[in-house]
């Protein structure tokens, strides 16, 4: 990786020189390899018929031995004996490459036989020479005759072996010539591949050099056309093109920063003017709000607490209890509206609410609770029961002639905690039930706390991450309504 980085950081001139040297080195290397392989094949071709040449040399040397023996037997001259020993050495030298082992090859077996026959022939010739020197005429004549016959057999075997080797060598020669042709084809193909590879190498190098220049030219045209929001040029080298590209990127950055500063200055000036206008508007609103008599909930339940204390001091116990329930009701609304709470606290809030309504309406609402005590500490979203009870009062039992009744039940059904709010009011038809369950807006009564059924359904779905947590039942007109919450029992 560092070597590639080093090459990228070289100057363009050095890159071109290195590319030329690399391509030249590749071509020279391929030519050397081709020259070596061709010479090696030619040398093997020349060696094909070397065995035939060696046999011919052996035959000539063997003939010289016979001639020198005959000459010595006839003349007994020192020249002839010297020729004899020289010829014997040539024959023995030619015999060194012959096979002497038993091998499953006809040609090699023939070489073995020739080798042994030649040794026997030389021994007979030597015996004839020794008999001549000992003046044993009968013996040297017999030995010479046997040697001559032996030489004839050897020549015949050498001729047969030479023919056999010539056939084998001819086949090898043809195979080597085919190999040479194949090698020639490979060399030509390799040369073409090297030329193509060199072309690709030069193409990639020139592309690496010219691509940044093309990008630089395009970016310069964009700047000239007034488009300053262009991406920076990717700089991957430290050559001349890389240095120019970095300088161009710095110029673009400087221009963009200057434009950004001018834009921020204009935005600040506009914001300052807008702020002045808003300040003037807020001052007018403040004066107006100061004149309005809006009651803050904190101020309200603090005032109610003061009223409860005053009623206690005056001995008005019922008034004191009423005001305390009112204060607790408002305090719960303020503290718990954005928090979860326990089921016990929710039921207590309903108690306060029913008490307040019964004071207002002279005890017209009969309220009953059927609570499974083990679920009082279960955590639930705040303000989920009171809106349901309020809905039962306002839309269920408010305008009936008989006594209104509300029953709140808490029980377990399978893996759900069930909370039921049941009234004996006017009842509901299926269309009204569907409207509530589909969380469509229903116009609230003027004395509602502002938290409707759709708000309760949405908060339950978000808190328990589910749907279908509420069921509304009604047998029809004047049959009352029951709202049941199915809350998952969390571990």
């Amino acid at each position: 990786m560092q070597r590639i980085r080093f090459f990228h950081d070289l100057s363009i001139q050095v890159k071109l020189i290195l590319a030329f040297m690399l391509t030249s080195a590749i071509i020279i290397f391929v030519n050397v390899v081709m020259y070596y392989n061709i010479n090696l094949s030619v040398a093997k071709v020349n060696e094909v018929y070397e065995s035939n040449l060696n046999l011919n040399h052996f035959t000539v040397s063997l003939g010289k031995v016979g001639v020198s023996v005959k000459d010595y037997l006839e003349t007994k001259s020192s020249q002839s004996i010297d020729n004899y020993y020289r010829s014997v050495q040539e024959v023995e030298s030619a015999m060194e490459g012959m096979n002497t082992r038993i091998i499953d090859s006809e040609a090699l077996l023939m070489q073995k036989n020739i080798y042994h026959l030649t040794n026997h022939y030389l021994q007979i010739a030597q015996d004839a020479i020794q008999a001549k020197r000992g003046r044993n005429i009968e013996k040297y004549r017999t030995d010479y005759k046997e040697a001559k016959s032996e030489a004839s057999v050897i020549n015949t075997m050498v001729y047969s072996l030479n023919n056999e080797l010539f056939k084998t060598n001819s086949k090898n020669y043809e195979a080597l010539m085919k190999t040479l042709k194949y090698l020639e084809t490979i060399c030509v193909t390799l040369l073409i591949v090297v030329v193509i590879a060199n072309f690709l190498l030069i193409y990639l190098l020139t592309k690496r050099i010219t691509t940044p220049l093309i990008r630089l030219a395009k970016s310069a045209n964009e700047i000239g056309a007034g488009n300053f929001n262009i991406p920076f040029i990717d700089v991957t080298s430290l050559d001349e093109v890389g240095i120019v590209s970095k300088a161009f990127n710095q110029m673009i950055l400087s221009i963009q920063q200057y434009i950004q500063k001018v834009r921020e200055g204009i935005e600040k000036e506009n914001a300052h003017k807008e702020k002045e206008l808003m300040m003037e508007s807020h001052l007018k609103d403040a004066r107006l709000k100061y004149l309005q008599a809006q009651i803050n909930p904190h101020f309200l339940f603090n005032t109610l607490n003061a009223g409860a204390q005053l009623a206690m001091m005056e001995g008005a116990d019922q008034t004191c209890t009423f005001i305390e329930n009112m204060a607790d009701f408002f305090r719960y609304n303020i503290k718990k509206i954005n928090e979860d709470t326990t089921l016990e606290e929710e039921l207590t809030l309903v108690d306060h609410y029913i008490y307040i309504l019964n004071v207002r309406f002279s005890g017209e609402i009969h309220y009953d609770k059927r609570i499974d005590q083990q679920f009082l500490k279960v955590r639930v979203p705040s303000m989920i029961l009171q809106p349901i009870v309020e809905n039962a009062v306002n839309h269920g039992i408010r305008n009936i002639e008989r006594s209104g009744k509300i029953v709140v039940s808490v029980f377990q059904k399978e893996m759900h905690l069930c909370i039921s709010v049941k009234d004996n009011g006017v009842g509901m038809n299926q269309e009204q039930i569907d409207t509530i369950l589909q969380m469509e807006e229903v116009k609230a009564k003027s004395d509602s706390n502002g938290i409707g059924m759709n708000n309760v359904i949405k908060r339950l779905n978000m808190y328990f991450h589910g749907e279908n947590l509420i069921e509304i039942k009604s047998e029809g007109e004047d049959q009352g309504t029951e709202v049941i919450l199915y809350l998952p029992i969390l571990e």
Side-chain angles (χ1 to χ4, degrees):
M1 200 67 187
Q2 291 180 350
R3 293 180 180 178
I4 297 176
R5 182 76 253 176
F6 173 75
F7 180 78
H8 288 173
D9 295 342
L10 294 176
S11 65
I12 296 177
Q13 182 180 10
V14 175
K15 288 180 180 177
L16 293 175
I17 293 174
L18 289 177
F20 174 76
M21 292 176 63
L22 179 61
T23 54
S24 300
I26 293 174
I27 293 175
I28 292 173
F29 174 76
V30 171
N31 285 328
V32 169
V33 172
M34 290 169 58
Y35 178 78
Y36 171 78
N37 288 324
I38 290 174
N39 285 341
L40 188 63
S41 299
V42 171
K44 289 181 179 180
V45 171
N46 293 333
E47 292 175 359
V48 167
Y49 293 105
E50 186 176 357
S51 59
N52 295 102
L53 295 175
N54 290 337
L55 283 176
N56 290 336
H57 177 67
F58 171 79
T59 304
V60 172
S61 299
L62 193 64
K64 288 181 180 180
V65 171
V67 171
S68 60
V69 169
K70 180 181 179 182
D71 189 32
Y72 179 77
L73 294 178
E74 291 178 351
T75 62
K76 201 179 180 180
S77 62
S78 59
Q79 179 66 35
S80 60
I81 196 67
D82 289 340
N83 291 336
Y84 166 75
Y85 285 121
R86 191 179 298 112
S87 301
V88 170
Q89 287 181 354
E90 289 181 0
V91 171
E92 290 177 347
S93 177
M95 290 170 60
E96 289 179 356
M98 290 185 179
N99 176 56
T100 60
R101 296 176 298 171
I102 299 175
I103 298 177
D104 188 16
S105 172
E106 184 177 354
L108 295 178
L109 286 175
M110 290 177 69
Q111 284 189 14
K112 174 178 174 296
N113 294 331
I114 291 171
Y115 180 84
H116 290 298
L117 287 173
T118 303
N119 282 333
H120 187 255
Y121 168 76
L122 293 178
Q123 184 62 44
I124 295 173
Q126 181 66 26
D127 291 343
I129 295 293
Q130 293 297 330
K132 179 65 177 179
R133 286 178 177 178
R135 299 180 184 278
N136 189 348
I137 297 173
E138 185 65 26
K139 180 171 176 52
Y140 81 73
R141 285 181 178 177
T142 303
D143 290 342
Y144 176 71
K145 186 178 180 180
E146 185 179 357
K148 190 175 180 180
S149 176
E150 193 88 4
S152 177
V153 173
I154 293 173
N155 285 329
T156 302
M157 293 183 68
V158 169
Y159 179 77
S160 299
L161 178 61
N162 208 357
N163 287 337
E164 188 68 25
L165 290 176
F166 184 79
K167 293 178 182 178
T168 303
N169 291 336
S170 296
K171 294 179 180 179
N172 293 336
Y173 178 80
E174 292 178 0
L176 284 173
M177 290 303 295
K178 289 181 180 179
T179 303
L180 191 61
K181 289 288 185 182
Y182 179 70
L183 181 62
E184 182 181 358
T185 304
I186 291 177
C187 291
V188 173
T189 305
L190 184 61
L191 186 61
I192 294 174
V193 171
V194 168
V195 171
I196 295 174
N198 285 337
F199 174 77
L200 291 176
L201 180 63
I202 295 173
Y203 171 76
L204 292 175
L205 179 62
T206 53
K207 183 179 180 181
R208 184 174 290 275
I209 295 174
T210 57
T211 299
L213 290 174
I214 295 173
R215 293 175 182 171
L216 184 62
K218 289 182 178 180
S219 298
N221 289 333
E222 291 289 334
I223 292 293
N227 181 17
F228 298 103
N229 295 322
I230 59 175
F232 291 138
I233 300 173
D234 187 18
V235 180
T236 58
S237 63
L238 294 179
D239 55 11
E240 293 83 352
V241 178
I243 294 172
V244 174
S245 299
K246 287 181 67 175
F248 188 81
N249 288 340
Q250 185 61 42
M251 180 189 71
I252 294 175
L253 179 62
S254 299
I255 294 174
Q256 290 176 347
Q257 289 177 346
Y258 176 74
I259 294 175
Q260 183 64 26
K261 288 181 179 179
V262 173
R263 184 182 292 112
E264 289 176 356
I266 295 174
E267 289 177 354
K268 286 181 180 179
E269 184 177 355
N270 292 335
H272 182 69
K273 292 180 179 179
E274 184 178 354
K275 187 176 181 180
E276 289 181 350
L277 293 174
M278 290 179 65
M279 287 289 290
E280 184 177 351
S281 176
H282 288 330
L283 285 173
K284 292 180 180 179
D285 290 341
R287 294 191 186 98
L288 179 61
K289 290 179 180 179
Y290 182 76
L291 297 175
Q292 292 176 343
Q294 294 185 345
I295 300 176
N296 184 282
H298 289 282
F299 174 76
L300 178 61
F301 79 74
N302 288 333
T303 304
L304 290 173
N305 284 334
Q309 294 175 3
L310 182 60
M312 186 181 297
M313 291 174 62
E314 294 178 349
D317 294 336
Q318 292 185 355
T319 303
C320 178
T321 302
F322 175 77
I323 295 175
E324 285 177 348
N325 276 273
M326 287 286 292
D328 290 338
F329 180 82
F330 280 104
R331 183 182 294 108
Y332 185 89
N333 274 268
I334 293 172
K335 289 184 178 181
K336 297 291 184 177
I337 188 61
N338 294 319
E339 301 176 6
D340 63 354
T341 183
T342 62
L343 180 59
E344 183 178 14
E345 291 178 319
E346 279 290 288
L347 293 171
T348 302
L349 179 67
V350 173
D351 294 342
H352 293 319
Y353 179 70
I354 294 296
Y355 178 84
I356 293 169
L357 291 182
N358 277 330
V359 171
R360 288 178 59 192
F361 301 111
S362 303
E364 292 181 357
I365 302 174
H366 297 280
Y367 174 54
D368 187 19
K369 293 192 296 182
R370 301 168 187 174
I371 310 298
D372 189 339
Q373 300 295 317
Q374 64 174 324
F375 296 113
L376 291 178
K377 300 301 180 182
V378 172
R379 306 296 296 186
V380 295
S382 63
M383 298 298 294
I384 59 170
L385 292 185
Q386 187 272 333
I388 298 175
V389 173
E390 180 180 337
N391 196 66
V393 172
N394 291 336
H395 300 283
I397 63 176
R398 173 70 64 84
N399 297 318
I400 62 174
E401 295 180 358
R402 59 186 179 276
S403 297
K405 183 178 181 180
I406 294 178
V407 178
V408 176
S409 304
V410 177
F411 56 93
Q412 181 177 355
K413 184 177 182 181
E414 296 179 352
M415 295 302 296
H416 289 86
L417 168 61
C418 299
I419 304 174
S420 169
V421 177
K422 186 175 183 180
D423 65 71
N424 64 338
V426 296
M428 301 176 68
N429 57 40
Q430 190 60 42
E431 182 180 355
Q432 292 173 320
I433 293 174
D434 292 340
T435 299
I436 295 174
L437 293 179
Q438 292 172 7
M439 292 182 287
E440 297 180 7
E441 292 292 338
V442 179
K443 187 175 181 181
K445 298 287 185 178
S446 59
D447 57 352
S448 171
N449 70 348
I451 301 177
M453 287 293 295
N454 60 337
N455 182 280
V456 172
I457 297 173
K458 288 180 181 178
R459 287 190 298 116
L460 282 173
N461 291 340
M462 288 190 295
Y463 189 86
F464 291 102
H465 305 287
E467 296 181 352
N468 301 322
L469 301 178
I470 187 169
E471 180 184 9
I472 301 176
K473 297 179 179 180
S474 179
E475 298 296 331
E477 185 176 357
D478 288 333
Q479 297 298 316
T481 304
E482 182 180 12
V483 179
I484 305 174
L485 305 182
Y486 294 94
L487 309 183
I489 297 178
L490 303 177
E491 295 292 337

